[in-house]
Amino acid sequence: AQSVTQLDSQVPVFEEAPVELRCNYSSSVSVYLFWYVQYPNQGLQLLLKYLSGSTLVESINGFEAEFNKSQTSFHLRKPSVHISDTAEYFCAVSVTLRGSQGNLIFGKGTKLSVKP
Amino acid sequence: KAGVTQTPRYLIKTRGQQVTLSCSPISGHRSVSWYQQTPGQGLQFLFEYFSETQRNKGNFPGRFSGRQFSNSRSEMNVSTLELGDSALYLCASSWTGIHEQYFGPGTRLTVT
């Protein structure tokens, strides 16, 4: 069975500091990888995705994540955070198998709190 | 392009009642998935529909059901509501169901 582990449930950080949110997954088959962000009382917004190709993927607002197959990780990083980045971040995998369609497997989430 | 829309946004029901939630996917998307989000269990997959057929189902009791119409709009129904069904119900649409999914704002269901 596939699973996603986000090791940190809460990450407090000061504004303009760098941050890394960790994500590890377990799967015996190939997966696609995603990071989603959720602001209070809202749905999930797709932040970035890894489907194939370059293992380093970037978002338009400065986040990046690197797919590491040997370590089965997909950590999210940002070199300098803003107050507006305060939100909950979810790592998710999609298994590329018939019968598994539509089922994103999520981690428990990491609450990023950016302090001035 | 318009995003995924869900109605209603908020709902209060009493134990034993039933409820129907609606989801309109992004135009052209044929896959619609439903998730339940609670503080204790996190995000859990309910089911996925593609071209009016349920292709995949999570581990929820039969009280939870869904359907998809020919225009890809989807509904989910929960019968005989329990207190534990209080949650944010999220709908997501996708081209294929295995690539990225785009989420709606959710329906907040409170069961009293």
Side-chain angles (χ1 to χ4, degrees), chain B residues 56-105:
Chain B
N56 197 4
K57 188 176 186 301
N59 294 323
F60 278 82
R63 300 186 298 107
F64 292 82
S65 63
R67 60 177 174 168
Q68 187 179 35
F69 302 94
S70 58
N71 61 358
S72 293
R73 190 177 70 86
S74 177
E75 289 181 347
M76 70 163 280
N77 185 276
V78 188
S79 63
T80 319
L81 284 165
E82 301 176 359
L83 294 178
D85 297 333
S86 294
L88 181 67
Y89 290 88
L90 293 163
C91 161
S93 76
S94 165
W95 287 107
T96 63
I98 62 171
H99 295 90
E100 63 270 26
Q101 295 181 21
Y102 295 90
F103 285 78

Side-chain angles (χ1 to χ4, degrees), chain A residues 83-100:
Chain A
I83 298 287
S84 60
D85 293 324
T86 295
E88 190 160 17
Y89 293 79
F90 292 91
C91 180
V93 302
S94 175
V95 176
T96 60
L97 274 181
R98 185 182 179 87
S100 299

Side-chain angles (χ1 to χ4, degrees), chain A residues 32 36 38 49 94 101-102 104, chain B residues 33 35 37 97-98 100-101:
Chain A
Y32 295 142
Y36 285 87
Q38 186 176 35
K49 62 187 179 185
S94 175
Q101 301 96 323
L104 279 176
Chain B
S33 295
Y35 296 85
Q37 185 178 26
I98 62 171
E100 63 270 26
Q101 295 181 21

Side-chain angles (χ1 to χ4, degrees), chain B residues 20 32 49-51 55 62 65 79 84 93 99 109 111:
Chain B
T20 299
V32 174
Y49 286 87
F50 185 90
S51 294
R55 291 197 301 187
S65 63
S79 63
S93 76
H99 295 90
L109 173 64
V111 182

